[in-house]
């Protein structure tokens, strides 16, 4: 019995010793983690052993709003986008000698022949956006040009009578004024900072469907008006694949931040996914001039021109129906000279090749147009031209285009 009691006592002592050792080890471990978390924490993570306290389920952060950047951009600008309804009187010039012949009227009677209306009321619709809280609106010239009445409707339903303060047909820009205070204003961006591939958001009223939004990208930054198919304009367009339909004209084209970067203006009817907008920086240049009712100056010399390269010149010369032979060089070929224009008075002739202006080498019609557009009315420009085998220097003084047209 004594031997059995001794063994039991020894076993209890061993168990107590094991428990004491385990307890001390756990206490030391917890103390070490508390004192040296930066040293021991990574080691535990590397070993793949995770403390029980960290084994909790986690979930992805829930966004504050379910909407995307398009909704945010439209929400920022939308209240300032307006619908513009116009009415204009259009005169008809339909000849009706048969109806007016006294013999036929006497024979068949006056009631048989209807009286053709000499004029009728034409209605139109477009878009625009408010750029100042006192009611200054930017839109396209072709939306309001010639309008007898202009009605402006805000997204909140308010309606105002608009006054066309200024129209600039060469840039297709116009300013309309409505009487109001504290009106919503569309923030303007910087179109010079755009890159191909940037987001483009069109807002407007296409086909009478108010507050319509379409999304695309900027496809090209500087598409000349001649390439677009409207050579009478004086600007380079932004090209976009954003859907632009009739009624979108004059509405804003936005970037991803909800800033106006362009004014929607044109589409190519024969193609899908090709629309054009006026860069907003162009509008900034002339907005105040139009708001004052003044004319925007557009220097004009009076030529029709074609970009010439050696390859084009060779094809031209090989055509047996070509009216003249041109040197196979780079420059701008004068295709036509407007009578009594500055070019005609300065001595430029059809078939001349313009190679320099004020010492700057000319390689394209777009470059020449830009130089003339940036010049001053009546400023002396030195044109160096090739005429056959000879080179001549001519002085051309631009005039105001709209005054010349009158």
């Amino acid at each position: 019995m004594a031997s059995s009691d001794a063994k039991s006592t020894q076993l209890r002592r061993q168990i107590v010793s094991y428990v004491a050792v385990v307890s001390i080890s756990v206490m030391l471990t917890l103390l070490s983690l508390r004192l040296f978390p930066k040293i021991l924490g990574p080691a535990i993570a590397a070993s793949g052993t995770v403390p029980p306290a960290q084994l909790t389920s986690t979930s992805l952060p829930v966004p504050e709003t379910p909407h995307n950047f398009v909704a945010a951009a439209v929400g920022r600008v939308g209240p300032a986008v307006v619908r513009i309804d116009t009415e204009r009187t259009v005169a008809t010039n339909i000849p009706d000698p048969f109806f007016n012949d006294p013999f036929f009227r006497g024979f068949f009677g006056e009631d048989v022949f209807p009286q053709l209306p000499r004029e009728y009321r034409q209605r139109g619709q477009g878009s625009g956006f408010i750029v100042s809280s006192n009611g200054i609106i930017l839109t396209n010239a072709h939306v309001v040009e010639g309008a007898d009445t202009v009605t402006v409707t805000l997204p909140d339903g308010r309606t105002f009578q608009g006054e066309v303060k200024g129209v600039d047909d060469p840039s297709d820009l116009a300013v309309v004024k409505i009487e109001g205070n504290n009106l919503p204003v569309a923030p303007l961006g910087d179109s010079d900072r755009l890159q191909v591939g940037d987001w483009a958001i069109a807002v407007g009223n296409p086909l009478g469907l108010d507050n319509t939004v379409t999304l695309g990208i900027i496809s090209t930054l500087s598409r000349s008006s001649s390439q677009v198919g409207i050579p009478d304009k004086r600007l380079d367009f932004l090209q976009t694949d954003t859907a632009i339909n009739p009624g979108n004209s004059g509405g804003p084209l936005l970037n991803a931040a909800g800033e106006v970067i362009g004014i929607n203006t044109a589409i190519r009817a024969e193609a899908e996914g090709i629309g054009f907008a006026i860069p907003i920086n162009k509008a900034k240049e002339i907005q105040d001039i139009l708001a004052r009712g003044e004319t925007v100056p557009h220097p004009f010399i009076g030529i029709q021109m074609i970009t010439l390269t050696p390859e084009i010149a060779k094809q031209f010369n090989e055509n047996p129906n070509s009216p003249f032979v041109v040197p196979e060089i780079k420059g701008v070929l004068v295709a036509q000279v407007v009578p009594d224009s500055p070019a005609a008075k300065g001595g430029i002739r059809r078939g001349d090749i313009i190679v320099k202006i004020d010492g700057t080498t000319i390689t394209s019609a777009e470059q020449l147009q830009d130089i003339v557009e940036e010049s001053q009315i009546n400023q002396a420009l030195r044109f160096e031209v090739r005429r056959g085998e000879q080179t001549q220097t001519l002085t051309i003084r631009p005039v105001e285009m709209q005054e010349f047209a009158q």
Side-chain angles (χ1 to χ4, degrees):
M1 291 294 295
S3 175
S4 176
D5 292 341
K7 289 182 180 181
S8 297
T9 301
Q10 185 177 2
L11 180 60
R12 284 196 297 271
R13 289 177 178 176
Q14 289 178 348
I15 292 173
V16 171
S17 298
Y18 291 150
V19 170
V21 170
V22 171
S23 299
I24 293 172
S25 298
V26 171
M27 292 176 62
L28 289 175
T29 300
L30 293 175
L31 182 61
S32 299
L33 285 172
R34 184 179 292 269
L35 294 176
F36 309 104
K38 294 184 179 180
I39 298 176
L40 297 178
I44 292 175
S47 68
T49 303
V50 181
Q54 297 183 16
L55 294 174
T56 58
S57 61
T58 59
S59 60
L60 293 174
V62 178
E64 295 181 1
T65 172
H67 305 302
N68 59 21
F69 73 95
V70 179
V74 174
R76 185 180 183 191
V77 178
V81 180
V82 302
R83 189 183 77 229
I84 299 177
D85 294 285
T86 62
E87 284 193 11
R88 53 174 59 86
T89 302
V90 179
T92 60
N93 295 312
I94 302 176
D96 52 355
F98 181 79
F99 290 161
N100 290 331
D101 190 292
F103 171 78
F104 287 101
R105 285 190 174 276
F107 185 82
F108 290 102
E110 293 290 335
D111 296 336
V112 174
F113 297 94
Q115 293 292 327
L116 296 180
R118 293 295 182 180
E119 60 184 29
Y120 65 95
R121 301 289 288 174
Q122 184 183 69
R123 292 179 173 84
Q125 190 177 88
S127 304
F129 54 95
I130 305 171
V131 294
S132 69
S133 59
N134 64 344
I136 295 294
I137 297 171
L138 278 176
T139 186
N140 284 147
H142 73 260
V143 170
V144 298
E145 193 168 21
D148 300 320
T149 62
V150 176
T151 303
V152 177
T153 304
L154 272 62
D156 61 13
R158 286 182 290 172
T159 301
F160 300 85
Q161 288 302 118
E163 178 187 359
V164 179
K165 301 294 292 184
V167 172
D168 184 53
D169 188 64
S171 65
D172 197 21
L173 289 169
V175 166
V176 175
K177 178 72 169 63
I178 60 176
E179 294 301 325
N181 294 306
N182 299 319
L183 296 170
V185 175
L188 305 184
D190 183 356
S191 54
D192 289 342
R193 299 180 62 184
L194 289 174
Q195 296 182 357
V196 172
D198 282 348
W199 289 112
I201 307 166
V203 185
N205 308 288
L207 305 172
L209 303 173
D210 292 354
N211 306 318
T212 298
V213 178
T214 54
L215 176 66
I217 62 169
I218 298 296
S219 306
T220 300
L221 294 176
S222 297
R223 184 69 72 193
S224 69
S225 56
S226 60
Q227 291 175 318
V228 172
I230 44 177
D232 59 320
K233 303 306 177 188
R234 291 289 192 92
L235 70 163
D236 292 332
F237 292 94
L238 301 174
Q239 181 178 322
T240 177
D241 68 349
T242 307
I244 298 175
N245 298 293
N248 265 127
S249 291
L253 189 70
L254 314 178
N255 60 16
E259 299 169 328
V260 181
I261 53 172
I263 303 175
N264 304 319
T265 187
I267 58 174
R268 289 295 290 266
E270 72 277 12
E272 294 184 4
I274 299 180
F276 302 96
I278 302 167
I280 193 61
N281 286 9
K282 178 66 176 180
K284 290 177 182 178
E285 293 175 4
I286 67 174
Q287 169 188 326
D288 292 339
I289 299 175
L290 293 176
R292 294 192 298 266
E294 300 173 1
T295 299
V296 178
H298 292 285
F300 168 82
I301 63 172
I303 62 172
Q304 294 179 3
M305 53 190 173
I306 302 170
T307 298
L308 187 69
T309 64
E311 295 76 19
I312 293 175
K314 184 178 180 180
Q315 294 176 10
F316 185 88
N317 293 334
E318 290 176 350
N319 186 342
N321 296 314
S322 296
F324 42 78
V325 176
V326 298
E328 296 180 6
I329 60 174
K330 289 184 177 181
V332 171
L333 173 65
V334 178
Q336 194 73 33
V337 180
V338 178
D340 298 324
S341 66
K345 294 178 180 179
I348 290 182
R349 299 179 183 176
R350 181 187 182 194
D352 285 350
I353 301 174
I354 301 171
V355 293
K356 288 185 179 181
I357 299 179
D358 286 344
T360 299
T361 300
I362 302 300
T363 59
S364 71
E366 290 79 16
Q367 179 194 11
L368 189 153
Q369 182 63 67
D370 289 341
I371 291 176
V372 173
E373 182 71 15
E374 293 172 2
S375 67
Q376 301 296 318
I377 303 300
N378 204 37
Q379 176 185 344
L381 300 177
R382 292 186 301 107
F383 279 62
E384 186 175 312
V385 303
R386 282 284 301 272
R387 183 175 297 166
E389 298 298 325
Q390 297 181 341
T391 299
Q392 300 188 21
T393 300
L394 306 172
T395 300
I396 311 298
R397 295 180 180 273
V399 298
E400 168 53 43
M401 181 175 66
Q402 298 185 68
E403 291 181 1
F404 182 85
Q406 297 173 355

